[in-house]
Amino acid sequence: MNSASLIRELASAGQEQVLQFWSQLDPAGQKKLAGQVAALDLRLVAQLADGYVRNKPPAALPKDIQPVQVYPRRPDGKQKELYRRALQRGQQMLREGKIGAFLVAGGQGTRLGYDGPKGEYPITPVKNKPLFQVFAEQLLAHSRDFGRPIPWYIMTSDMNDGPTRSFFTKHMFFGYDEKNIFFFQQGMMPAFAMDGTLLLAKRDSLALSPDGHGGSLRALHKSGALADMRCRGVEHLSYFQVDNPMVHCIDALFLGLHDLTCSEMSSKTIPKSRPLEKVGNFVMGDGVLQVIEYSDLPRKLATQRNADGSLRLDAGSIAIHALRVSFVERLNTGGQLRLPWHRAEKKVPYVDEAGKSINPDTLNAVKLEQFVFDAIPLAQNPIVYTTERAEEFSPVKKDKGSDSPATCRRDQIRRAARWLTEAGVTVTMKNGKPDAAIEISPLYATTAEQLRQRKAPIHAVQTGAKLYFGANGIE
Ligand code: UTP
C-alpha cells in the first residue's frame, strides 16, 4: 500500500493519527507500519471503536439462568452402555488418525512474568521438564499406544512465535516427528485509547496484542491448519491450554462421547471449589448452553445453594474442549468469525503526539479479545462432561500464591502419589501431603489405570525420596 492509499484507508476509519510520524520514518519503519495497517480489518476497527471503546456494550446476561445437565465422570446404570461405546469410539478414532491435538500458546503470560513463551517454563516436580515437553510426551505416548501419530497443531502469536519454534528445534521437537507438528500464528488486535483512536507503541508500530484464544478459531482457518486436517483425515480437535500440565491432552472417552452425541463442541467441567472461584460457569442461559465469566455472574446467582447445600451453579469451565473440524470450518464461512469481543481496560505504553514514550500509571487503553468458549452457543448438540480437579486441573497463571508453579508441582506430586497408591504402592503422607517428590512421565503411564497395568517395580515410596518414572521405569 502506498502512503496516499494508507492515508485514505485510515482516514475512512477515523484513524489517520496512526501516520503522524510517517514523514520522519526511514523506509524500514514505513514498511513496518504499513504492513501492520494492511493486516488490520479497518472496517472492523471502526465498528469496534464505536461499539466497544467509545461506548461500552450493554451487559448481555441471559434472563433465565439455569444449571446445566452434565455427563458425570462415572456413568450411572443407564449410561454405562453409552460410555462403553464412547470409549471404544474414541479409541477407534485415535487408531484411525481422526484426532488432532490443539494447543493454544499465543497468550502473553503477563501474570506469570516469565521472559519467554510460557510453554518453556520448567514445571515438573523432579525433572523440571518444560510445559511443552509434558504435552509432547503425552501425545507421543498416545501415538505409540494407538499405533498412529497424532498431528499436533500449536498456535503461537507474533509475540512468541520465533522463540517457540526455536525452543522446539533446540530440543529436537521432544522426540515428535517434525512433520506432524503444525505451528501457526493467531491474529493481533490493536489497543485503543479511550477515545477510540489506535495507540502507537513506537513511532513506527501500533500497540498490538494477541486477539484472544477465541482468535484460534479464525487462525485455524487462515493459517491453512484446517486444510491440513482435511488432507490428513482429522475430524476432531482436542483443545487445551499451555498453562495446565495436568490436562489429559487426549481422552478417548471424552472424545468418543463428543462424537457419539453428534456434538460440535464439547467441554470438560469440574465442580467449583467455592462460589466465587475465578473460573467461567457453564449454564443454560435462556435455554442455550454457554459460559458466563466469573466477573459477569451476579453474586446472588453464584452463591445460590440447592436444598442439600450444594452450589446451584457449580459447573466450572477449565478450558478443555473437543471441536469438530467441520464446525470450525462452518464458523469461518462468510469471512467473519461471529464471536463477541470482550473489553478490558489496561495500562498500555504508547508514544504521545510529541513522540515521547509514556508508561502510564492509570488505565489508558481498551484491549479487545475473543474467547473460545463463546463458540459453544453456536454449536449443535454441545455437551459438558465432568472430570476431577485433582486429576486434570492445576493451571500456572501467577508466579506466587494460588495457580502458581508451586501449587502446580504440588498437585502433580499428589496425583502421582494417588496413581501409585491405587496401584498398590505405599506412599507415606505427612500433614496430608505425600512425603516425597514423585514424577511419572506420560511415557511410563498416562492414566492411573495404565500405571496399574504396568505393575510398578516397588512396593513403597521411601520417605523424602525423589522418584522419577521414565519411559522404561524408575530412573
Ligand atoms: P490466559 O487467559 O491465561 O492469558 O490464557 P495469557 O495471555 O496467557 O496470560 P495473562 O492473562 O497475560 O497472564 C489462557 C490460554 O489461552 C492462550 C494462552 O497461551 C493460554 O494457553 N491464549 C490466550 C492464546 O493462545 N491467545 C491469546 O490471545 C490469549
Side-chain angles (χ1 to χ4, degrees), residues 343-392:
R343 176 189 204 276
E345 296 189 2
K346 302 264 180 183
K347 294 177 201 161
V348 174
Y350 66 103
V351 288
D352 67 10
E353 292 109 67
K356 208 168 127 218
S357 295
I358 309 283
N359 224 339
D361 43 25
T362 51
L363 302 174
N364 66 318
V366 171
K367 281 191 180 182
L368 297 175
E369 289 192 352
Q370 288 177 316
F371 293 163
V372 75
F373 55 70
D374 281 325
I376 296 173
L378 307 175
Q380 299 287 325
N381 312 316
I383 62 160
V384 180
Y385 165 75
T386 312
T387 183
E388 280 165 22
R389 183 184 298 267
E391 186 62 33
E392 293 218 53

Side-chain angles (χ1 to χ4, degrees), residues 103-113 118 155-157 160 186-187 209-216 239-243 319 346 369-371 396-397:
L103 168 65
V104 291
Q108 292 176 286
T110 17
R111 284 168 290 170
L112 182 62
K118 208 188 233 188
M155 186 178 81
T156 63
S157 67
N160 62 20
Q186 69 180 107
S209 49
D211 60 2
H213 39 64
S216 67
Y239 170 105
F240 53 97
Q241 301 191 154
V242 76
D243 54 25
K346 302 264 180 183
E369 289 192 352
Q370 288 177 316
F371 293 163
V396 180
K397 295 282 187 194

Side-chain angles (χ1 to χ4, degrees), residues 410 413-414 417-418 427-430 432-438:
R410 176 202 67 196
I413 293 175
R414 282 189 173 152
R418 187 164 46 77
V427 182
T428 314
M429 304 293 277
K430 193 171 163 192
K433 290 192 290 214
D435 194 10
I438 315 168

Side-chain angles (χ1 to χ4, degrees), residues 153-175:
Y153 300 87
I154 302 178
M155 186 178 81
T156 63
S157 67
D158 191 47
M159 325 215 52
N160 62 20
D161 186 70
T164 301
R165 290 175 195 249
S166 310
F167 192 71
F168 272 82
T169 309
K170 184 170 134 205
H171 292 278
M172 317 274 280
F173 297 86
F174 304 104

Side-chain angles (χ1 to χ4, degrees), residues 456-470:
I458 46 168
H459 296 298
V461 175
Q462 300 262 314
T463 305
K466 268 193 158 193
L467 191 62
Y468 174 67
F469 291 77

